Amino acid sequence: MQARKKYLLVAFLASWLLLFLLLLGDRLRRSAFISQPRAGSPRRWPRWADRSLLGSFADPQELQDRGAPPPPSPRLNASSRCRMETCFDLGRCRRHGFKVFTYPRQRGQPVSDSYGKILASLERSRYHTRRPEEACLFVLPIDTLDRDRLSARYVPGLGQELGASPLWNGGRNHLVFNLYSGTWPHYGEELGFDVGQAMLAKASFDAGSFRPGFDVSIPLFPRDHPQRGGQEGRLRHGAVPPRKKYLLAFKGKRYLTGIGSGTRNALHHIHNGKDIVSLTTCKHGKDWEKHKDERCDKDNVDYEKFDYQELLHNSTFCIVPRGRRLGSFRFLEALQAACIPVLLSDGWELPFSEVIDWSKAAVVGSEKLLLQIPSAVRCIHPERVLALQQQTQFLWDAYFSSVDKIVHTTLEIIKDRLLPHRSRPRFLWNAPPGGLLALPDFSTHIGDFPFYYLQHGSSPSDKFTAFIRVVSPLSQPVLRLIQAVSRSQYCAQILVLWSCEKPPPPLEKWPQITVPLSVIEGRREPSDRFFPYAAIRTDAVLSLDEHSSLSTSEVDFAFVVWRSFPERIVGFLASSHFWDAEQQRWGYTSRWTNELSIVLTAAAFYHRYYHSLFTGYLPAGLRELAGGLAACEDILMNVLVAAVTKLPPIKVAQRKQHKEAVPQQQVKGTAPSSSRGFLQQQDCLNQLVDWFGYMPLVSSQLRLDPVLFKDQVSILRKKYRHLERP
């Protein structure tokens, strides 16, 4: 009896096991079939975002509908695996340095306004060369910006023209610029010709076809984007923005069919009409009425109730969804308006992502998580919001406000790849004044630049180098100046730039002082004083000329002030600029007024880095312009420092005797008394403004004096006693 029960139990368990295996096998077969969707079928919505989580906001099927199916993946070829080591001839760059050659433009060849600006920026660059044998990088004269076959600006037969060029060499060491690739309906990555081994500087770059460390992703910019200068950001430098009316905003067209329609069609779900405004319109294109849906009429009415610029400037966050392509003009518009971009463009390789940390300036979202965007931005702390807004303004001003900056940023990224051990650290690209103004030829160490002492927790060196330019035979005023400067407790050495036609006198003719004195023979050019001489080993430079008259107390006090403001020019002789409404141009004056914007380098402290920036950053043509006009190199140095710091110079106290004995118009390097000299200085100032694209100089009414300066107290209670004595 017991054996019978045992057999029945075993048979029962065996039957259940057999039934379980049959059901499991059937489930596996069905899941294997389902896991291979048919071509054209919609992608399944993630399990963690099903209908129960979305509630009544949207249909998951609507959100996962992405319009037209994605284009087929490009075939993998040799050029798609290009890197600097495999598809770029580094030897060309070692022979002559980083030089860029633009092909000569052929007569009658059409070039769009945007591509003309790119070519002009390259030709204005300090890296440009007219000799192809010296070039490290080549840029085509043929407009490659618009490669949409349906566009009127499309250039056919490009591959044949390139193949016939002796410099093309399969695209090796070439840089190809592109803003629009592909065509309807997929708008893929194809350009209509084989780029070979050429690098691409391309907008709307898909991360799948982007070659890291070889290509450069650039922003999509409009046809009227300024050549240089550009509009200022909405938020003033270092300012706290006012509280904005809207938290999140979008106003733009939506696509009823085709690629990119899925995301924009779902934007209406987050609109609440209060602090979140999301408006779309169907009214665009020739045949929009053929495809209009039930929402179009209402959307078009609501769309007209809000002004786009008002929404842009009064919103904290701006939604930047993909369009037909991954990028859009809205990206740069949001940056300029200090509206934090909320990016909804899956797979977009963001502009200059190789060097820019976009997590500090934008919110990178997912198109599939659109409905979570409102709650996500509400959770961002106000301090973080302020930091994001300020970073948008820095990035806009440093890299995106003009075609010049976009092109020059592209060149600097490529140049850094050639010498990785001397490339800029990522911090320099993401902190003011930015990578374009932090030259790696000077240093790659953050603490060596004048802008980062506070962030780095360090201070400039406690000594200075006096740099005196002499253009006349040695005289008593120069000897007295050397003795007065050498008595300063902060003086480390004195360098004399001898720019006189006669040879310098022997050492015994120079005064006997307690600090080293060296004589450097110059080329008798005004800009020689701003050359980065290796003999200057201190952070601070006291720039003087042979007509300067300073006491030791004046030098000591000015240096103490400079150590508190190492990024600025600190000096004694001030001038200012003004807008002449009658002449419709900028004017220049050296009269004693309450306002100043220029401190002349005839007697001023500044950081030695500005010598490297003056020589290495400014094109040779601009330095030649400054050398041909009266005191123009002085104005150019002030304009350069103001463009870097966005701050005015600082004037310090000087003796009354100094003002009366050496009138400002008579000091070498300042405005001459003749009207011709003033006209040259005004002409210089206006030409510099034209080159920079805006007026960089900043006016100030600040003058720093020592404590108790000019106060009616005993002279013994004052630290800088000789500053007030005749």
Side-chain angles (χ1 to χ4, degrees), residues 24-336:
L24 179 62
D26 181 68
R27 187 178 183 88
L28 289 174
R29 287 193 302 271
R30 295 173 70 180
S31 64
F33 176 78
I34 294 174
S35 64
Q36 298 176 359
R38 292 172 296 175
S41 62
R43 286 177 284 182
R44 297 181 64 83
W45 190 255
R47 185 175 300 173
W48 37 261
D50 58 11
R51 185 186 300 272
S52 62
L53 290 178
L54 294 178
S56 61
F57 288 102
D59 184 356
Q61 183 67 24
E62 177 186 359
L63 289 180
Q64 76 177 348
D65 179 17
R66 301 290 294 276
S73 300
R75 291 178 298 175
L76 190 65
N77 51 40
S79 65
S80 66
R81 294 189 294 268
C82 272
R83 297 294 182 268
M84 296 295 290
E85 300 80 11
T86 59
C87 297
F88 196 88
D89 184 5
L90 299 173
R92 296 191 64 97
C93 307
R94 296 191 186 103
R95 288 191 291 270
H96 301 286
F98 186 68
K99 300 290 185 181
V100 181
F101 175 78
T102 55
Y103 284 59
R105 304 189 197 183
Q106 299 178 7
R107 183 173 300 177
Q109 191 172 59
V111 173
S112 64
D113 292 342
S114 296
Y115 199 65
K117 292 176 182 179
I118 289 176
L119 294 177
S121 297
L122 291 167
E123 293 165 0
R124 283 163 41 89
S125 166
R126 64 183 183 275
Y127 300 124
H128 185 256
T129 179
R130 298 183 182 275
R131 303 176 61 185
E133 62 272 14
E134 295 181 352
C136 167
L137 193 65
F138 297 84
V139 178
L140 303 174
I142 308 172
D143 191 343
T144 57
L145 292 186
D146 195 341
R147 301 304 298 164
D148 187 341
R149 295 179 183 274
L150 301 179
S151 172
R153 293 183 292 273
Y154 179 81
V155 180
L158 189 55
Q160 296 178 354
E161 291 190 49
L162 295 178
S165 171
L167 298 175
W168 177 241
N169 191 24
R172 201 170 182 85
N173 287 56
H174 279 69
L175 178 64
V176 176
F177 286 89
N178 175 256
L179 295 182
Y180 308 97
S181 63
T183 189
W184 173 269
H186 301 307
Y187 295 97
E189 297 292 298
E190 62 273 7
L191 299 180
F193 69 100
D194 184 11
V195 298
Q197 297 180 345
M199 290 184 289
L200 286 177
K202 184 178 178 301
S204 304
F205 229 133
D206 185 272
S209 59
F210 178 77
R211 296 169 291 184
F214 192 73
D215 293 326
V216 180
S217 179
I218 63 174
L220 181 66
F221 59 88
R223 189 182 309 174
D224 58 352
H225 205 54
Q227 173 77 61
R228 48 189 177 270
Q231 293 183 355
E232 294 183 354
R234 186 75 174 180
L235 183 61
R236 293 180 62 87
H237 177 70
V240 177
R243 184 176 179 85
K244 297 191 176 183
K245 182 177 181 180
Y246 305 107
L247 172 70
L248 182 65
F250 172 81
K251 183 182 180 182
K253 59 187 179 183
R254 67 180 175 97
Y255 309 115
L256 298 171
T257 60
I259 191 169
S261 60
T263 301
R264 295 201 175 203
N265 282 340
L267 286 172
H268 71 99
H269 290 294
I270 64 174
H271 174 78
N272 63 15
K274 298 177 182 178
D275 62 340
I276 298 179
V277 177
S278 181
L279 305 171
T280 58
T281 180
C282 311
K283 193 182 295 185
H284 61 87
K286 298 179 180 179
D287 56 350
W288 69 272
E289 292 184 347
K290 296 180 182 179
H291 305 283
K292 65 182 295 186
D293 54 27
E294 64 278 3
R295 290 195 354 247
C296 279
D297 291 336
K298 182 179 184 305
D299 286 354
N300 292 341
V301 173
D302 293 340
Y303 186 84
E304 300 298 331
K305 294 179 181 179
F306 291 84
D307 179 73
Y308 176 69
Q309 291 296 327
E310 180 185 353
L311 280 177
L312 196 66
H313 295 144
N314 288 282
S315 299
T316 303
F317 296 90
C318 285
I319 300 177
V320 183
R322 64 161 298 151
R324 292 301 192 191
R325 298 174 177 87
L326 293 173
S328 68
F329 298 136
R330 192 180 308 272
F331 179 67
L332 290 187
E333 293 169 352
L335 285 181
Q336 192 269 337

Side-chain angles (χ1 to χ4, degrees), residues 272-470:
N272 63 15
K274 298 177 182 178
D275 62 340
I276 298 179
V277 177
S278 181
L279 305 171
T280 58
T281 180
C282 311
K283 193 182 295 185
H284 61 87
K286 298 179 180 179
D287 56 350
W288 69 272
E289 292 184 347
K290 296 180 182 179
H291 305 283
K292 65 182 295 186
D293 54 27
E294 64 278 3
R295 290 195 354 247
C296 279
D297 291 336
K298 182 179 184 305
D299 286 354
N300 292 341
V301 173
D302 293 340
Y303 186 84
E304 300 298 331
K305 294 179 181 179
F306 291 84
D307 179 73
Y308 176 69
Q309 291 296 327
E310 180 185 353
L311 280 177
L312 196 66
H313 295 144
N314 288 282
S315 299
T316 303
F317 296 90
C318 285
I319 300 177
V320 183
R322 64 161 298 151
R324 292 301 192 191
R325 298 174 177 87
L326 293 173
S328 68
F329 298 136
R330 192 180 308 272
F331 179 67
L332 290 187
E333 293 169 352
L335 285 181
Q336 192 269 337
C339 189
I340 303 167
V342 179
L343 305 177
L344 297 176
S345 185
D346 295 351
W348 183 21
E349 187 71 27
L350 296 180
F352 305 136
S353 56
E354 184 173 340
V355 295
I356 293 179
D357 183 359
W358 283 108
S359 66
K360 296 181 177 180
V363 177
V364 182
S366 171
E367 295 178 59
K368 296 178 180 178
L369 302 180
L370 168 63
L371 301 182
Q372 297 184 15
I373 293 298
S375 59
V377 297
R378 291 186 195 277
C379 293
I380 301 178
H381 195 274
E383 292 182 0
R384 173 69 175 158
V385 171
L386 176 59
L388 289 168
Q389 289 174 320
Q390 292 178 335
Q391 190 71 357
T392 62
Q393 300 303 273
F394 157 63
L395 294 178
W396 164 259
D397 179 71
Y399 308 119
F400 299 109
S401 61
S402 66
V403 177
D404 268 6
K405 291 178 180 178
I406 293 173
V407 171
H408 294 163
T409 302
T410 303
L411 295 182
E412 293 296 337
I413 290 175
I414 297 173
K415 182 174 181 286
D416 273 5
R417 296 171 182 169
L418 304 178
L419 297 172
H421 62 285
R422 293 181 59 185
S423 63
R424 301 165 179 85
R426 196 173 175 87
F427 172 84
L428 295 181
W429 286 100
N430 292 278
L436 297 183
L437 297 170
L439 303 183
D441 294 336
F442 173 76
S443 177
T444 57
H445 180 57
I446 297 171
D448 292 336
F449 293 92
F451 329 111
Y452 307 117
Y453 287 120
L454 183 61
Q455 299 179 41
H456 195 250
S458 60
S459 301
S461 57
D462 57 359
K463 298 289 184 178
F464 69 82
T465 296
F467 195 76
I468 306 174
R469 182 169 181 261
V470 178

Side-chain angles (χ1 to χ4, degrees), residues 451-653:
F451 329 111
Y452 307 117
Y453 287 120
L454 183 61
Q455 299 179 41
H456 195 250
S458 60
S459 301
S461 57
D462 57 359
K463 298 289 184 178
F464 69 82
T465 296
F467 195 76
I468 306 174
R469 182 169 181 261
V470 178
V471 297
S472 304
L474 194 61
S475 60
Q476 286 300 317
V478 175
L479 298 179
R480 286 195 297 268
L481 178 63
I482 292 174
Q483 290 175 338
V485 172
S486 67
R487 287 194 292 267
S488 170
Q489 57 181 316
Y490 307 112
C491 183
Q493 61 176 340
I494 296 178
L495 299 179
V496 176
L497 179 62
W498 189 263
S499 297
C500 181
E501 296 181 357
K502 297 182 179 180
L507 290 178
E508 56 269 17
K509 296 292 185 179
W510 297 92
Q512 300 298 315
I513 55 178
T514 57
V515 297
L517 187 147
S518 304
V519 179
I520 302 173
E521 294 198 40
R523 297 172 299 174
R524 294 190 293 276
E525 295 182 4
S527 59
D528 277 358
R529 71 161 98 178
F530 300 132
F531 187 81
Y533 296 98
I536 302 177
R537 295 185 292 271
T538 60
D539 292 332
V541 176
L542 173 57
S543 177
L544 301 165
D545 65 24
E546 59 188 2
H547 297 282
S548 301
S549 176
L550 295 175
S551 68
T552 305
S553 293
E554 287 176 300
V555 172
D556 285 347
F557 176 68
F559 179 69
V560 170
V561 171
W562 177 85
R563 291 200 75 210
S564 298
F565 305 94
E567 74 280 14
R568 304 203 210 182
I569 298 177
V570 176
F572 302 91
L573 307 176
S575 299
S576 61
H577 74 287
F578 62 93
W579 177 251
D580 190 336
E582 183 177 347
Q583 298 292 330
Q584 289 296 300
R585 65 197 307 259
W586 293 100
Y588 173 91
T589 180
S590 60
R591 295 178 180 177
W592 298 104
T593 62
N594 289 332
E595 288 203 351
L596 63 100
S597 57
I598 297 173
V599 166
L600 304 181
T601 57
F605 281 97
Y606 52 80
H607 199 281
R608 68 186 177 100
Y609 173 64
Y610 292 126
H611 279 203
S612 296
L613 202 62
F614 188 94
T615 305
Y617 173 75
L618 299 176
L622 194 61
R623 299 197 303 272
E624 292 173 1
L625 166 69
L629 297 173
C632 190
E633 79 285 349
D634 222 347
I635 300 174
L636 177 56
M637 175 58 87
N638 275 267
V639 168
L640 176 62
V641 175
V644 172
T645 63
K646 308 292 189 296
L647 296 170
I650 294 178
K651 175 177 169 55
V652 292

